[in-house]
Amino acid sequence: MEGRSGLTLLLTVMALSSLHLRSCHSSSDLQILTADRRIDLASHIIRVALVLKVQNDGASPASNVLLTFPPTQAKHLALLQAAEVTGKKKKKTLHTLDAKPSDQADGPNGAKFFSISLRNPLSTGGSVSIEVSYILTQSLEPFPVEISQSEPQLVLFRDSSSILSPYPIKQQTTVIRTPSTRVESFTRVEPSSQLRTELKYGPYENKPAFSYTPILVHFENNNPFAVVEELVREIEISHWGNLQITEHYTLVHNGARHKGGFSRVEYQSRPALSGVSSFKHLVAKLPPRVHSVYYRDSIGNISTSHLRTSYSKSELEIEPRYPLLGGWKATFIIGYGLPLKDVLFEADDGKRYLNFSFGCPIAETVVNKITNKVVLPEGSKNPSVVVPFSVERRAETKYSYLDIVGRPVVVLEKENVVPEHNSLFQVYYEFHPMFMLAEPLMLTSVFFFFFVAALAYVHMDISIRK
Amino acid sequence: MAVPVDTVTKQPQPPPPSPSSLRFAFGNVLAFFILLLIGVLAFSIRLFSVIKYESVIHEFDPYFNYRVTQFLTKNGIYDFWNWFDDRTWYPLGRVIGGTVYPGLTLTAGTIWKVLQSLNIPLSVETVCVFTAPVFSAFAAWATYLLTKEVKGTGAGLTAAVLLAMVPSYISRSVAGSYDNEAVAIFALIFTFYLYIKTLNTGSLFYATLNSLSYFYMVCSWGGYTFIINLIPMHVLLCIVTGRYSSRLYIAYAPLVVLGTLLAALVPVVGFNAVMTSEHFASFLVFIVIHVVALAYYIKGILSPKMFKVAATLVVSVGLVVCLAVVGVLVAVVASSPTKGWSGRSLSLLDPTYASKYIPIIASVSEHQPPTWPSYFMDLNVLAFLVPAGIIACFSPLSDASSFVILYLVMSVYFSGVMVRLMLVLAPAACIMSGIALSEAFEVFTRSIKFYISSLSEFLETDAGDVMPGSNGSPQFDVLKTEKKEDSLKERPSRKNKKKEKDVVVVKEKSSVKSKTEKRPLVLPAEVSFFALFLTVLLGAFYVVHSVWAAAEAYSAPSIVLTSHSHDGLHVFDDFREAYAWLSHNTEVDDKVASWWDYGYQTTAMANRTVIVDNNTWNNTHIATVGTAMSSPEKAGWEIFNSLDVKYVLVVFGGLVGYPSDDINKFLWMVRIGGGVFPHIKEPDYLRDGQYRIDSQATPTMLNSLMYKLSYFRYGVYTT
């Protein structure tokens, strides 16, 4: 184990030393005075908070600040948010800044740039404080790859002790928080220390641009690595007063794979020692006033769930049919109804709009691909969507209960979704209430004609012989 | 008596038969609504399983049917006929299209298609779950039609309401019990109805419908042989008792010709329709009926003397020919391997056949002969009402009523052989009981009516003004009884009318004559009231029992087990847990070995290939699995390895106390395995003839794969 990780480390160092030589690449003359980075490894979703103090040493004002991520991290970057901090500690105010992938060519070794647009261009000699938070998914690598039922789950986390940046950094520290004190090993880059659940790297002084010192943290993380490979949510609006949500999950335990046999008895009798990294139950946070909640899969109802409703929220605690050990999969469906008046409103221009949450309601899960299908009532027109982040949008038509022209469906797709994406989105559309009567009228007329036909038949004599 | 007066005054338009036609129309509407309610009752009494458990397919065979239906709806009918299923009987596979009775699947598939074309998004599973209750309603209506042909509308409605909730039928048709019997019982009753209808009318139209209905029955269930043997028997009975008529010929001949041709279209039957001995009776009777028809024809054109001469001639020649034919038949039958009879049919004729020769048939609990309590459980009061119904059928004996009697007698015999054929008995018992109840009600109400009319007559003749109270109360009673009987059946109300007419006649003519007319059917009023009360009570018992049976005894889906303990309800969902795990966490092509009980469920719920399943068509293959389970670990592994098995599914209930687990069935595996592979000997697994799984068990038992799998590390958990 040690030998292999040591070898990879060596290779990375060699690769990056060549990077050092070419670090004159830096485009503008910004420099970072202080950088504080806190990496939270408590769950399998890695949350990083980065506080930068940027100063402009160049001649011209700078309007953008670049952030750099190694290609592996850029791939797993789920969310990136930036805010400018003004005022001192007590009166601190945050102004959200726009952060998006930069169109600049990749940096050394394929490093990806993201650019943050400042509110006001930074004049020469001026400085600004920026708080960046970003979320990485699937960046913890289980090691050993396979564990048996009685073993805890150990994972590896790779990063750099110094912050990768296109600008030189005068002073920086990195704090890594682990879920427990049980850390098998971590790369020492002096000065570095461990204090209970925190590993501290730094402070490092005067690191040039693009400096990168790989580190490896090997620690115990028994949090369930709940990954929803695919989530399809169907949100169906009925103007008769109900919103029906059906969510199809493909859930997988993405941690260390299970090896050997599984003993249910042992699992149940000694929960503290057996299958610690598995997940027994998941909690889905549903809106208040849900009704007709069901939890099933393709072969019927799953009887292990509890629903707790309160004023402000409902909590659905679900257990898969079997405990999910590493690498195991399960599929299931959660469905529920909501009173329509809680989520459907009328805009000023007469349009109606649905105001509903986007992401996966299950706590602390990563969704590889989410598909939200908003099924509008038959006869609605001109749907438009407002989502706070970029999504792919398609249109479909769905036929349900006696439809003739079909219901327009707005399909919104997004990959790599974390709980932070659980914000509200809106779908605007035009709808005339007359369409509500179409189906009742249709049924009435069918019965009417049936009775007329029966009447006619009774009064007709179609026999050939009298 | 107030009612008819009202109706007379109310209707001005049609002049001549005014009161009767209106009452007739009213009766029809009432009967229609009663039938509608019976349908609703039949459907809703079967929903206990959905309400108490969930909308899910039950038990074993329904899972196979469900899987076939899924395939049908996904791939269409042509792929369905040609479907070679490589997920079962690995490595042999099974030709599903040619070995399955497609009636149920096609029915549910069609319902699904129709719903889909109306854009009603019901899943295939939902359609399958509710097919049985829907067809139970149809079966109740078919019973009404059949009994109506035999004994009139009143008996029909009573029989229909009895069938709607007969526990025996409920046990096979609760929501989720998606099995052949669900639609087959409807087809059976409907075929009988059309036969009787043809017999009563002599219409070729009904004869054709009868063949089509028979075709549907052949599509649905192997029990169609019951029809094709029962109807010839009845025809023979009619001929022997001198009841031959052209109507009988029309009812029978087209059925044999068209029915056999249509039956041969069903792949699973095919040439069996003419080649197996189950069908020979119908052909024999077909010949007989033609001979008889010819005889009648010749009798018609010859003088009696000439006919006598001709008859002696023909009989002597005919006897020789018949002997020759019988000889050929016997030779043909004897030359086929199982003497031309399939194992299940043989066990029908000889109840001990299966347990003696075919352990695989004997190992299924529903193939065992029933116990007496099961008659009471499944038929309840019907068992006592049936004899009364038979008596009622004999007065007067018609073609139709003789058929019903024959049906009852045959089905009683078959139900005594195999517990699951109780299902065939249930409609017969319902019809008989319906007739009995209806006749009883008729007699009681008629005598009450007579009593009242004679009372009022007496009062009228005695004095014009008596106390209004005493006059009013019997009339009130009349209304009450009328209501009661109307809710049960409609026929007596017509009888009432006739009676009332008679009463009018009585008033005009001498009362003595009418009394002599009525006397044989009239009971004393007090007795009638009491008997009426008792009959209603009997009916109430039946309803209570049926609802209890539907709710408690027959709605458990058997894949979910529940148990009540002091701290509430416990749900054991371990079967589906295992299947779901297999389905999500093993490779798609992995082979799962298990005892055949779980074959259908594994293919349907886990979508994995199994070695053997509930179809049990290949005894050797099942014996191979049985041998592997009974062998020591190494030998068992070798057998399973040769079958590419990656997972072995074993059900063990020792820890939680679930009695019907695999170790409980283990002796059957030994027997079936030993039947083909002689090195497996049953005595090796028994200690002094006792089946033991404790420390006293024999070494062979302790070393068998099944035992080792079941009790793997068992000591660690219990000590």
Side-chain angles (χ1 to χ4, degrees):
Chain A
M1 183 180 94
E2 280 300 316
R4 213 183 77 177
S5 58
L7 191 68
T8 25
L9 213 103
L10 192 71
L11 285 174
T12 339
V13 172
M14 278 170 68
L16 284 155
S17 53
S18 62
L19 188 144
H20 267 282
L21 300 173
R22 295 194 282 126
S23 62
C24 50
H25 174 79
S26 151
S27 54
S28 71
D29 298 314
L30 295 177
Q31 74 155 329
I32 295 170
L33 299 175
T34 57
D36 283 307
R37 185 169 60 156
R38 295 186 65 85
I39 302 173
D40 185 0
L41 300 178
S43 78
H44 68 128
I45 300 171
I46 299 164
R47 295 185 171 86
V48 185
L50 186 64
V51 182
L52 302 172
K53 189 155 192 194
V54 186
Q55 187 182 332
N56 190 358
D57 291 344
S60 55
S63 58
N64 289 324
V65 176
L66 289 178
L67 294 175
T68 319
F69 291 96
T72 48
Q73 284 193 1
K75 205 167 71 188
H76 294 134
L77 188 70
L79 191 73
L80 174 67
Q81 283 169 326
E84 186 180 324
V85 187
T86 54
K88 287 284 171 228
K89 273 189 179 171
K90 289 250 166 105
K91 291 176 189 166
K92 201 164 85 168
T93 46
L94 293 172
H95 304 275
T96 315
L97 298 177
D98 191 26
K100 59 175 187 300
S102 164
D103 44 11
Q104 200 173 331
D106 288 354
N109 279 5
K112 298 272 189 261
F113 291 111
F114 285 76
S115 102
I116 298 171
S117 319
L118 296 175
R119 280 197 305 156
N120 309 307
L122 194 58
S123 55
T124 310
S127 70
V128 64
S129 282
I130 302 171
E131 270 192 25
V132 179
S133 64
Y134 59 91
I135 294 174
L136 298 172
T137 58
Q138 308 193 9
S139 303
L140 294 178
E141 184 188 320
F143 193 87
V145 179
E146 289 189 333
I147 55 171
S148 71
Q149 191 179 340
S150 55
E151 285 176 295
Q153 176 173 267
L154 299 174
V155 292
L156 294 174
F157 174 66
R158 297 167 196 279
D159 204 338
S160 160
S161 65
S162 52
I163 299 160
L164 187 66
S165 170
Y167 315 115
I169 304 175
K170 278 200 139 172
Q171 192 196 41
Q172 59 174 320
T173 47
T174 295
V175 175
I176 298 175
R177 203 167 78 81
T178 55
S180 68
T181 51
R182 209 183 145 203
V183 177
E184 289 280 301
S185 69
F186 64 98
T187 315
R188 292 192 180 270
V189 182
E190 294 306 327
S192 57
S193 61
Q194 181 186 11
L195 187 69
R196 286 202 298 277
T197 61
E198 284 191 348
L199 304 175
K200 190 175 177 192
Y201 284 93
Y204 302 121
E205 310 279 339
N206 294 326
K207 288 276 181 182
F210 292 111
S211 55
Y212 191 93
T213 322
I215 55 166
L216 192 68
V217 185
H218 191 201
F219 61 101
E220 181 178 319
N221 187 342
N222 282 323
N223 284 301
F225 280 36
V227 174
V228 178
E229 289 192 329
E230 191 172 11
L231 170 60
V232 179
R233 298 173 93 203
E234 196 174 87
I235 301 153
E236 191 164 347
I237 300 167
S238 159
H239 275 268
W240 294 98
N242 189 38
L243 184 78
Q244 182 64 40
I245 298 110
T246 318
E247 300 172 341
H248 299 255
Y249 290 86
T250 310
L251 185 73
V252 65
H253 186 303
N254 215 21
R257 279 202 308 279
H258 175 69
K259 75 171 177 206
F262 167 65
S263 162
R264 185 57 182 263
V265 181
E266 203 165 285
Y267 183 81
Q268 261 172 338
S269 57
R270 277 179 288 176
L273 296 172
S274 179
V276 279
S277 66
S278 71
F279 34 96
K280 288 151 195 143
H281 58 81
L282 302 161
V283 178
K285 281 205 176 65
L286 305 180
R289 307 213 289 155
V290 288
H291 60 85
S292 333
V293 182
Y294 63 85
Y295 169 50
R296 56 168 297 159
D297 65 2
S298 57
I299 56 174
N301 179 45
I302 307 172
S303 49
T304 43
S305 61
H306 304 280
L307 180 68
R308 284 183 290 269
T309 50
S310 72
Y311 246 135
S312 53
K313 62 168 195 275
S314 310
E315 273 188 345
L316 177 68
E317 191 185 297
I318 55 175
E319 278 176 53
R321 281 198 189 276
Y322 39 87
L324 280 191
L325 275 78
W328 287 7
K329 265 187 194 178
T331 61
F332 55 89
I333 302 166
I334 296 176
Y336 50 94
L338 278 176
L340 195 65
K341 61 176 189 287
D342 289 9
V343 286
L344 193 83
F345 307 97
E346 200 161 339
D348 296 333
D349 57 351
K351 277 191 165 186
R352 284 146 209 273
Y353 70 96
L354 171 81
N355 191 28
F356 201 63
S357 68
F358 186 87
C360 164
I362 297 181
E364 284 301 292
T365 47
V366 174
V367 183
N368 285 352
K369 187 183 177 192
I370 189 168
T371 310
N372 277 299
K373 295 183 174 183
V374 182
V375 183
L376 303 174
E378 192 177 25
S380 45
K381 287 191 286 278
N382 304 328
S384 60
V385 183
V386 178
V387 192
F389 33 78
S390 68
V391 291
E392 273 183 51
R393 193 187 146 181
R394 281 188 290 127
E396 278 178 6
T397 311
K398 187 194 170 187
Y399 293 90
S400 172
Y401 293 105
L402 303 172
D403 286 349
I404 292 173
V405 293
R407 308 178 182 200
V409 183
V410 178
V411 185
L412 305 171
E413 288 176 340
K414 183 166 175 60
E415 287 181 0
N416 208 1
V417 177
V418 287
E420 277 74 4
H421 283 115
N422 244 345
S423 49
L424 297 167
F425 73 105
Q426 291 82 32
V427 178
Y428 290 84
Y429 62 96
E430 288 165 19
F431 180 74
H432 197 279
M434 266 308 282
F435 280 101
M436 282 168 70
L437 293 177
E439 273 146 19
L441 284 177
M442 228 159 66
L443 276 181
T444 324
S445 47
V446 164
F447 273 99
F448 176 72
F449 285 117
F450 173 72
F451 286 130
V452 166
L455 217 67
Y457 175 76
V458 168
H459 284 269
M460 253 185 328
D461 187 3
I462 47 168
S463 61
I464 300 166
R465 217 168 26 164
K466 292 285 169 196
Chain B
M1 263 125 270
V3 183
V5 175
D6 266 10
T7 53
V8 170
T9 51
K10 257 185 192 169
Q11 45 96 38
Q13 320 98 323
S18 43
S20 67
S21 75
L22 210 88
R23 278 206 73 131
F24 187 62
F26 177 66
N28 270 352
V29 171
L30 199 64
F32 176 78
F33 275 105
I34 292 172
L35 276 178
L36 206 68
L37 287 179
I38 289 173
V40 172
L41 169 71
F43 181 81
S44 50
I45 201 171
R46 287 163 169 84
L47 298 186
F48 276 112
S49 58
V50 172
I51 294 160
K52 286 184 72 182
Y53 295 88
E54 55 179 288
S55 170
V56 74
I57 308 282
H58 288 195
E59 298 193 323
F60 304 104
D61 288 25
Y63 267 98
F64 170 73
N65 296 324
Y66 169 50
R67 183 163 160 260
V68 177
T69 314
Q70 275 182 319
F71 184 88
L72 173 73
T73 51
K74 209 179 283 168
N75 299 3
I77 181 127
Y78 292 106
D79 280 349
F80 166 65
W81 290 126
N82 297 324
W83 184 21
F84 178 80
D85 185 11
D86 55 0
R87 298 248 131 189
T88 63
W89 293 99
Y90 182 83
L92 309 168
R94 179 184 169 196
V95 188
I96 300 281
T99 57
V100 80
Y101 285 100
L104 176 77
T105 316
L106 292 179
T107 307
T110 314
I111 295 174
W112 183 81
K113 264 269 158 60
V114 168
L115 289 176
Q116 212 65 15
S117 65
L118 290 173
N119 281 330
I120 296 175
L122 286 183
S123 66
V124 178
E125 189 189 7
T126 314
V127 171
C128 292
V129 165
F130 291 103
T131 298
V134 167
F135 270 78
S136 310
F138 292 169
W141 293 332
T143 310
Y144 161 75
L145 292 172
L146 173 57
T147 320
K148 189 183 156 204
E149 284 304 312
V150 178
K151 276 280 169 185
T153 318
L157 289 174
T158 321
V161 80
L162 291 177
L163 185 103
M165 48 188 184
V166 62
S168 168
Y169 186 27
I170 287 179
S171 74
R172 290 316 187 106
S173 63
V174 292
S177 194
Y178 179 57
D179 210 348
N180 290 336
E181 290 93 330
V183 297
I185 292 302
F186 157 71
L188 180 90
I189 301 171
F190 198 63
T191 311
F192 286 156
Y193 156 66
L194 286 169
Y195 171 68
I196 295 294
K197 184 82 184 172
T198 324
L199 200 57
N200 284 349
T201 57
S203 149
L204 260 180
F205 170 69
Y206 284 111
T208 320
L209 281 188
N210 190 17
S211 312
L212 288 176
S213 170
Y214 172 67
F215 174 56
Y216 184 66
M217 178 69 191
V218 177
C219 281
S220 307
W221 196 31
Y224 76 91
T225 46
F226 182 66
I227 295 183
I228 206 61
N229 284 303
L230 185 68
I231 289 181
M233 279 166 114
H234 179 246
V235 171
L236 208 60
L237 186 78
C238 283
I239 291 170
V240 168
T241 52
R243 286 175 164 271
Y244 173 80
S245 64
S246 56
R247 287 177 288 112
L248 186 69
Y249 183 83
I250 288 172
Y252 186 64
L255 175 68
V256 171
V257 177
L258 263 181
T260 306
L261 282 176
L262 287 170
L265 288 180
V266 183
V268 62
V269 179
F271 281 107
N272 285 349
V274 287
M275 281 168 68
T276 55
S277 39
E278 284 107 325
H279 304 82
F280 286 171
S282 65
F283 301 134
L284 204 69
V285 174
F286 188 66
I287 296 166
V288 169
I289 198 169
H290 277 95
V291 170
V292 172
L294 190 71
Y296 271 83
Y297 175 69
I298 291 168
K299 197 177 182 180
I301 56 171
L302 290 181
S303 64
K305 209 176 228 173
M306 284 286 281
F307 181 73
K308 226 169 203 173
V309 176
T312 40
L313 195 78
V314 167
V315 164
S316 50
V317 173
L319 223 60
V320 174
V321 175
C322 274
L323 278 178
V325 168
V326 167
V328 168
L329 265 179
V330 167
V332 167
V333 169
S335 67
S336 69
T338 55
K339 305 263 186 296
W341 294 79
S342 60
R344 281 206 179 92
S345 308
L346 269 179
S347 72
L348 280 183
L349 294 180
D350 174 10
T352 57
Y353 176 84
S355 51
K356 270 190 291 194
Y357 301 109
I358 318 172
I360 203 141
I361 290 180
S363 74
V364 183
S365 61
E366 63 183 22
H367 291 161
Q368 307 287 345
T371 51
W372 283 112
S374 74
Y375 277 95
F376 186 75
M377 175 69 200
D378 280 356
L379 300 175
N380 199 246
V381 301
L382 303 188
F384 312 120
L385 286 170
V386 163
I390 296 176
I391 294 168
C393 280
F394 272 106
S395 57
L397 188 69
S398 64
D399 290 348
S401 62
S402 68
F403 176 76
V404 179
I405 294 168
L406 190 69
Y407 172 27
L408 179 88
V409 172
M410 294 315 292
S411 57
V412 165
Y413 170 72
F414 286 130
S415 72
V417 173
M418 215 186 250
V419 69
R420 86 180 196 160
L421 290 179
M422 194 77 97
L423 195 58
V424 178
L425 170 64
C430 287
I431 291 164
M432 283 301 178
S433 310
I435 290 169
L437 273 183
S438 153
E439 292 283 323
F441 271 115
E442 214 170 298
V443 169
F444 298 147
T445 49
R446 186 191 294 138
S447 18
I448 290 167
K449 285 263 179 54
F450 185 75
Y451 162 72
I452 286 157
S453 67
S454 62
L455 195 72
S456 63
E457 188 190 337
F458 170 74
L459 285 172
E460 263 175 41
T461 51
D462 204 34
D465 53 333
V466 203
M467 303 168 285
S470 68
N471 197 5
S473 65
Q475 271 195 348
F476 182 62
D477 278 343
V478 175
L479 286 176
K480 224 165 60 179
T481 49
E482 242 176 352
K483 233 185 237 167
K484 202 182 285 168
E485 78 202 27
D486 275 357
S487 68
L488 275 159
K489 56 207 151 70
E490 182 264 353
R491 188 179 162 86
S493 70
R494 262 196 283 163
K495 270 276 149 69
N496 291 351
K497 178 208 69 197
K498 215 199 280 170
K499 247 240 81 223
E500 281 147 16
K501 260 194 203 160
D502 287 336
V503 172
V504 177
V505 171
V506 165
K507 277 175 194 165
E508 284 168 6
K509 293 178 182 175
S510 71
S511 64
V512 187
K513 195 186 173 189
S514 88
K515 263 180 188 166
T516 49
E517 255 178 27
K518 293 288 167 191
R519 182 158 290 158
L521 288 171
V522 173
L523 298 168
E526 297 76 22
V527 176
S528 302
F529 272 120
F530 189 60
L532 204 61
F533 172 71
L534 283 185
T535 322
V536 171
L537 203 66
L538 196 67
F541 273 130
Y542 177 69
V543 172
V544 169
H545 174 79
S546 301
V547 172
W548 173 81
E552 302 294 330
Y554 291 138
S555 22
S558 95
I559 53 161
V560 188
L561 310 164
T562 53
S563 76
H564 294 272
S565 67
H566 56 277
D567 55 340
L569 183 78
H570 286 269
V571 179
F572 294 100
D573 208 355
D574 295 19
F575 282 105
R576 283 194 296 189
E577 180 181 328
Y579 296 132
W581 187 86
L582 278 173
S583 127
H584 291 123
N585 299 301
T586 58
E587 295 294 319
V588 178
D589 289 325
D590 283 348
K591 280 58 175 182
V592 180
S594 66
W595 190 232
W596 60 264
D597 296 22
Y598 314 107
Y600 278 164
Q601 291 184 346
T602 310
T603 43
M605 283 199 261
N607 190 23
R608 291 295 171 268
T609 309
V610 295
I611 308 300
V612 290
D613 70 21
N614 310 43
N615 184 240
T616 63
W617 63 272
N618 188 325
N619 196 22
T620 316
H621 216 50
I622 292 177
T624 310
V625 174
T627 308
M629 294 290 195
S630 332
S631 302
E633 248 176 304
K634 189 165 183 298
W637 183 86
E638 270 161 10
I639 293 172
F640 279 147
N641 193 44
S642 71
L643 290 168
D644 295 346
V645 169
K646 222 166 149 188
Y647 297 88
V648 179
L649 178 85
V650 170
V651 176
F652 176 62
L655 200 69
V656 292
Y658 172 61
S660 46
D661 59 354
D662 277 350
I663 204 79
N664 191 31
K665 300 169 187 160
F666 184 52
L667 222 46
W668 286 112
M669 303 182 201
V670 174
R671 270 177 213 154
I672 292 169
V676 177
F677 302 100
H679 67 274
I680 304 289
K681 295 183 193 72
E682 191 180 330
D684 291 348
Y685 297 84
L686 302 173
R687 170 76 67 192
D688 307 325
Q690 296 252 317
Y691 182 61
R692 308 197 61 147
I693 47 170
D694 52 9
S695 55
Q696 296 286 302
T698 59
T700 326
M701 177 78 195
L702 293 176
N703 287 322
S704 68
L705 182 64
M706 175 53 80
Y707 190 90
K708 292 216 162 177
L709 288 174
S710 289
Y711 289 97
F712 176 67
R713 292 180 64 202
Y714 190 66
V716 177
Y717 305 128
T718 48
T719 53

